[in-house]
Amino acid sequence: MSFPSSGENLEMFLSRARMMSAAALPAYLALMFFFTKEEGWHWSFLVFCVLPPVAAVLGFLGKRDIRPGLAVAALVLALAPLPLIGGLEALF
């Protein structure tokens, strides 16, 4: 019987957080190249070059050190560029 706070669920969460944060990196790099090529928009360098690599590193550290807080931070930083891009587009 599996309980919500068992080590098996924690292992699965840490693995998924690591993989999602690492998989976001190539997707955001492709978006960065698209935005700069099509629109000449230079904010994408800041948003897409800084946050996804930090998220990937935090995801791997969270899995290695078994720290769920780092894994959550990795997931948040992996998803953060999308609202940031939308907000910056609304401002400019």
Side-chain angles (χ1 to χ4, degrees), residues 4-30:
S5 62
S6 70
E8 182 178 308
N9 288 337
L10 178 63
E11 179 71 26
M12 185 171 42
F13 169 72
L14 292 173
S15 296
R16 287 183 180 173
R18 178 185 63 178
M19 294 312 294
M20 288 179 64
S21 63
L25 187 58
Y28 287 141
L29 288 177

Side-chain angles (χ1 to χ4, degrees), residues 28 47-48 50-52 75-88:
Y28 287 141
V47 174
F48 289 137
V50 174
L51 292 181
L75 287 175
V76 168
L77 285 178
L79 296 176
L82 297 177
L84 282 174
I85 293 296
L88 287 173

Side-chain angles (χ1 to χ4, degrees), residues 24-45:
L25 187 58
Y28 287 141
L29 288 177
L31 277 174
M32 180 190 68
F33 289 129
F34 171 75
F35 281 143
T36 56
K37 182 180 175 188
E38 294 294 322
E39 300 177 10
W41 193 61
H42 297 290
W43 281 101
S44 63
F45 284 122

